[in-house]
Amino acid sequence: MLRIGFVQTSPIFGDLDGNRERLIEQAGRLDADLVVLPELCQSGYVFTSRAEAVDLAESIPAGPTSQALAELARARDMTLVAGIGERAGERLYNSAAVFTPAGHLLTYRKIHLFGDEKRWFEPGDTAFPVFEVRGARIGLIVCYDWRFPEATRVLALAGADVVAHPANLVLPFCQQVMRARCIENRVFAVTANRVGTDDRPGGRRATFTGRSQVVDPDGQLLLQASTDGVEDGVVTIDPRQARDKTFNDGMNHVLTDRRPEYYRALVEPPAPAGDGV
Ligand code: ACM
């Protein structure tokens, strides 16, 4: 059995020290094996320039958010997944880092960038990762990756039992769609979203939709937070539920029933249509 959960935060844009203190305090109160925190958890989301995004990012794992999360993971004997703006030399990534009791394990750099993120960040250059927590296999996507069913599918094919999903959601769809992703792949998913509004100069503004959630392989909501509260939750799951990919009295299987030979357009341009002669 595995205790998995989320922290739903309300960061103050640019308040690096305050945001870090608040999220460490909140996550530190949880008894869990795996806790997921939102995307860009240290900084807020609505940047007004690349220079600002650079200023509010940090290197991973040397930066202060990473260090504090690594220390918390060690002290509380748990694994933390957190979205962090990552500075890597001249490059900037919208990343999620994994901290286990033994320290920083890996960093995933968001592959699908949303809206203005394309102006601030480089697109991710790391594959969707899968790692282990107490024998369970955890896959990782960040926010807008939800919109690409291929992302969760690739993780399920790689053996993920649980999808960890740091997010800063602004559209109303994702929470529903992740339930479909879980049914399609028979996996669990933990979406950690934020609440509140980033209200920035020049009329740049975004309100975040909360409703952080844990979903099971039948698409059932095990936990869901409110649209506007600073909240958290932990639920105990049996990861073996995600290892049974069968349904319909065992006659069907969500992975082996696939016909990938008919999905080739996903990875290569379709062959020119014949003229029928
Ligand atoms: C998003 O990808 N943060 C909407």
Side-chain angles (χ1 to χ4, degrees):
M1 304 300 275
L2 193 75
R3 296 164 303 165
I4 61 175
F6 59 78
V7 166
Q8 176 166 292
T9 58
S10 185
I12 296 169
F13 186 88
D15 181 15
L16 295 176
D17 293 344
N19 291 337
R20 185 176 65 250
E21 276 163 29
R22 282 185 289 275
L23 62 88
I24 293 294
E25 203 267 320
Q26 199 182 348
R29 279 191 264 115
L30 301 181
D31 261 328
D33 302 303
L34 172 72
V35 174
V36 184
L37 290 85
E39 180 183 15
L40 293 169
C41 69
Q42 91 283 16
S43 61
Y45 183 79
V46 181
F47 304 103
T48 55
S49 67
R50 178 168 161 105
E52 186 178 63
V54 169
D55 269 359
L56 294 174
E58 65 179 54
S59 67
I60 300 174
T65 313
S66 298
Q67 291 294 305
L69 290 166
E71 171 53 26
L72 180 63
R74 190 198 59 73
R76 299 303 318 278
D77 193 27
M78 60 186 177
T79 294
L80 296 164
V81 178
I84 300 174
E86 181 193 6
R87 209 184 306 128
E90 294 295 296
R91 301 177 84 77
L92 197 63
Y93 297 98
N94 184 347
S95 295
V98 179
F99 303 93
T100 74
H104 172 247
L105 179 69
L106 60 86
T107 302
Y108 162 70
R109 294 169 168 166
K110 185 177 184 180
I111 286 176
H112 303 100
L113 297 177
F114 183 77
D116 275 345
E117 292 174 33
K118 295 179 188 181
R119 298 171 60 198
W120 325 134
F121 298 107
E122 267 71 47
D125 56 1
T126 49
F128 298 106
V130 177
F131 56 95
E132 277 202 25
V133 174
R134 300 195 199 289
R137 296 187 292 248
I138 317 298
L140 179 51
I141 62 176
V142 171
C143 205
Y144 179 53
D145 287 331
W146 69 265
R147 193 128 194 174
F148 302 87
E150 297 87 349
T152 304
R153 179 68 98 201
V154 160
L155 289 174
L157 289 169
D161 305 311
V162 178
V163 174
H165 182 208
N168 271 193
L169 296 161
V170 292
L171 299 176
F173 313 118
C174 171
Q175 290 87 343
Q176 280 168 274
V177 171
M178 285 310 290
R179 299 176 69 175
R181 296 288 97 88
C182 289
I183 296 168
E184 288 162 355
N185 295 289
R186 292 202 47 77
V187 292
F188 293 88
V190 185
T191 296
N193 194 14
R194 59 161 287 187
V195 298
T197 298
D198 281 357
D199 198 352
R200 305 298 323 291
R204 305 178 82 86
R205 193 170 197 277
T207 295
F208 302 89
T209 59
R211 286 159 60 221
S212 299
Q213 62 186 23
V214 180
V215 182
D216 79 5
D218 292 318
Q220 301 296 320
L221 281 176
L222 301 181
L223 285 177
Q224 191 172 54
S226 71
T227 53
D228 53 7
V230 170
E231 291 167 37
D232 36 68
V234 174
V235 62
T236 300
I237 61 153
D238 183 350
R240 285 173 303 186
Q241 213 187 321
R243 305 251 168 124
D244 178 5
K245 301 297 185 191
T246 63
F247 64 102
N248 194 18
D249 294 330
M251 289 189 294
N252 290 97
H253 187 289
V254 293
L255 297 183
T256 58
D257 281 353
R258 291 176 317 116
R259 304 286 308 280
E261 65 273 32
Y262 290 99
Y263 313 153
R264 284 168 56 178
L266 289 175
V267 290
E268 58 191 45
D275 60 9
V277 199

